[in-house]
Amino acid sequence: MTTDSPLNTLLTEAISSMQTLLDLLQKEQSHLIANELDPLLVLTTEKQASAIDAEHAGQALSQFFSAQGIDPQHDANTWITEQHPHALSQWQTLLEITRQASAFNSSNGKLIETRQQLINGFMQQILDASHSRPLYAPDGKFTSLPQGQRRDLA
């Protein structure tokens, strides 16, 4: 089998789309950590489009395996090793990029959830404290913050 086989083409497309998604997830994490919200809005649209591309590439690969009578979740590695050994490194690259993208996606989700909880907690403390003492002076400046609360953590 030549390197221009349908499998090679499908793997190349899947790797490319997953690498693009992984790059976007890494950028997303950098923006989340740096608390840069504006770039996240643009990135979200790009990430959604990239995820759709990656899903389509994965579906095309799954359809190829199904046409070969293979369950990609269980038999693909063995089948590629036996039938298309030249494609094994591409397959392993795809699996690794997919694993990394999944890890970044999970981590980013946790960062977003944590940030939301911090913001909600901070806002609740402001509301609670404002009932017992005013937080703003007549000139609009803070008179005090809830004890122990740091705004730079939200």
Side-chain angles (χ1 to χ4, degrees):
M1 175 129 323
T2 67
T3 56
D4 292 334
S5 72
L7 178 60
N8 180 277
T9 301
L10 290 169
L11 285 171
T12 299
E13 290 171 2
I15 289 168
S16 176
S17 64
M18 283 304 297
Q19 185 62 56
T20 299
L21 181 58
L22 175 59
D23 293 344
L24 291 171
L25 288 165
Q26 290 170 330
K27 285 180 186 178
E28 179 182 54
Q29 188 171 86
S30 294
H31 291 308
L32 285 167
I33 290 169
N35 201 26
E36 300 167 340
L37 302 180
D38 290 336
L40 283 173
L41 292 174
V42 174
L43 201 58
T44 297
T45 303
E46 291 176 38
K47 187 178 80 168
Q48 289 171 337
S50 181
I52 290 169
D53 288 345
E55 183 178 348
H56 288 161
Q59 288 173 347
L61 197 52
S62 289
Q63 289 172 353
F64 172 83
F65 285 127
S66 291
Q68 309 305 310
I70 302 205
D71 176 2
Q73 297 295 322
H74 303 288
D75 306 328
N77 202 48
T78 302
W79 184 81
I80 292 172
T81 300
E82 293 172 358
Q83 301 295 321
H84 300 277
H86 67 280
L88 187 58
S89 68
Q90 278 186 298
W91 175 249
Q92 291 171 342
T93 297
L94 176 59
L95 293 177
E96 178 57 23
I97 292 171
T98 301
R99 184 198 64 75
Q100 288 177 24
S102 177
F104 270 94
N105 193 50
S106 176
S107 176
N108 291 355
K110 289 176 184 170
L111 282 170
I112 291 168
E113 183 180 318
T114 299
R115 180 145 337 257
Q116 185 66 44
Q117 290 172 354
L118 287 170
I119 290 169
N120 290 344
F122 177 70
M123 295 306 293
Q124 187 59 51
Q125 286 184 347
I126 288 175
L127 287 173
D128 292 345
S130 68
H131 294 297
S132 63
R133 63 181 184 267
L135 289 177
Y136 297 98
D139 63 0
K141 294 182 181 177
F142 278 118
T143 58
S144 66
L145 280 175
Q147 211 163 27
Q149 179 66 37
R150 294 181 51 191
R151 288 179 292 149
D152 61 340
L153 294 179

